[in-house]
Amino acid sequence: MCAVTRRQTGPAETRRANRRWWDGDAEAYLATHGDFLGTADFCWCPEGLREAEVRLLGEVAGRRVLEVGCGAAQCARWLTLAGAYPVGLDLSAGMLAAGARLSAATGVPVPLVQGDAERLPFADASFDLACSAHGAVPFCADSATVMREVARVLRPGGRWVFATPHPVRWMFADDPGPEGLLARMPYFDRRPYVEQDGAGVASYVEHHRTVGDRVREIVAAGLTLVDLVEPEWPPGHQRVWGQWSPLRGRILPGTAIYVCAKP
Ligand SMILES: C[S@@+](CC[C@H](N)C(=O)[O-])C[C@H]1O[C@@H](n2cnc3c(N)ncnc32)[C@H](O)[C@@H]1O
């Protein structure tokens, strides 16, 4: 039996729960969302914003790019085809195995590394760019450390662009229908969203930061916030993805994309 609660949980419990969650969910996640994500496409969010349209990373050809929380590495594969040298990092062996299968099927190889966004296994200044499309950031208890780690592995002049659920979504039930339009939870309640079993063992954890919290984490890591992109729900876009739906998309922002630079 699974129960949903809000309670404190630290990095170790969060990591354990989410690694197991994504290992177990990898096949179902791809069966549900794989057609929308494509096999070598860079989709930022359920609103369908594509890097090919918006170029938030700037020029990618010839650049070394780290994708943090790459899942099955669809974005990294798009980067390869665009002439970049990406590396995909993910906590979950299950997601990476799905990524390796997609690479074999498409003939577009991407180096994949199993690791934790809070402890990036890379040398200082080893990447020109870093990105994450709803990847690791909200799944880490210590996202301030994620910001510092990404800043460390970026070279000066590098860029870090990451998408998360929009912080205002925290107030609303996880429901794509009318129930999901009622603000029920305090925006300022930072206690993590936890799904747990009858013994209280967490099976899935998401962490919340207000917009101000997130900006402070970025600045404290020595990065500059260049833009905060809030993709609008495109007219005619009908796809429901979990809590994301045309109904809510017309009213509420669903995704926040933070564009940061390392001075
Ligand atoms: C919603 S998926 C997004 C992946 C991909 N962009 C996509 O759209 O399918 C989130 C990914 O973040 C990974 N993740 C969660 N916590 C992580 C951590 N601490 N370090 C690295 N990756 C993590 C998960 O394993 C999962 O593959």
Side-chain angles (χ1 to χ4, degrees):
M1 193 197 64
C2 165
V4 172
T5 185
R6 302 279 172 116
R7 67 164 170 83
Q8 295 307 335
T9 163
E13 186 184 26
T14 296
R15 198 177 301 121
R16 203 164 40 243
N18 286 342
R19 183 187 296 128
R20 202 174 316 131
W21 171 270
W22 289 105
D23 280 349
D25 195 53
E27 293 308 323
Y29 179 84
L30 285 171
T32 308
H33 303 298
D35 60 333
F36 181 66
L37 292 171
T39 53
D41 196 4
F42 196 135
C43 178
W44 279 109
C45 50
E47 290 83 358
L49 194 73
R50 254 94 184 154
E51 177 60 10
E53 302 160 37
V54 284
R55 301 283 175 183
L56 299 178
L57 291 167
E59 180 58 70
V60 297
R63 307 292 198 277
R64 302 161 299 169
V65 190
L66 175 62
E67 186 183 1
V68 184
C70 64
Q74 294 91 341
C75 302
R77 241 171 264 110
W78 179 87
L79 287 162
T80 299
L81 293 176
Y85 302 104
V87 174
L89 173 121
D90 203 281
L91 187 62
S92 159
M95 290 300 268
L96 292 173
R101 278 198 302 279
L102 275 184
S103 284
T106 55
V108 184
V110 177
L112 298 172
V113 175
Q114 186 173 15
D116 180 7
E118 292 177 23
R119 291 176 294 198
L120 293 176
F122 304 106
D124 297 0
S126 47
F127 292 96
D128 304 302
L129 300 167
C131 59
S132 186
H134 281 272
V137 175
F139 301 109
C140 287
D142 187 358
S143 52
T145 293
V146 177
M147 301 300 136
R148 281 197 300 277
E149 277 293 272
V150 173
R152 178 182 66 73
V153 303
L154 275 181
R155 63 150 170 88
R159 199 167 251 228
W160 163 223
V161 186
F162 65 96
T164 69
H166 197 289
V168 304
R169 285 287 170 114
W170 195 248
M171 295 183 284
F172 299 88
D174 214 355
D175 187 322
E179 274 297 301
L181 293 174
L182 295 172
R184 295 180 186 281
M185 271 77 69
Y187 175 73
F188 296 106
D189 184 351
R190 275 87 162 179
R191 286 174 307 158
Y193 169 96
V194 179
E195 294 178 11
Q196 60 185 24
D197 65 17
V201 176
S203 53
Y204 178 91
V205 181
E206 254 187 75
H207 293 266
H208 169 59
R209 298 290 182 275
T210 66
V211 176
D213 294 341
R214 190 67 79 204
V215 171
R216 281 185 288 278
E217 287 185 351
I218 290 166
V219 172
L223 299 165
T224 305
L225 182 63
V226 176
D227 197 0
L228 173 52
V229 179
E230 296 165 297
E232 295 188 30
W233 195 267
H237 183 42
Q238 291 304 323
R239 189 183 176 89
V240 174
W241 177 319
Q243 56 165 286
W244 281 267
S245 65
L247 174 74
R248 296 181 83 191
R250 278 199 303 276
I251 298 168
L252 295 170
T255 294
I257 308 179
Y258 301 83
V259 182
C260 313
K262 177 167 173 173

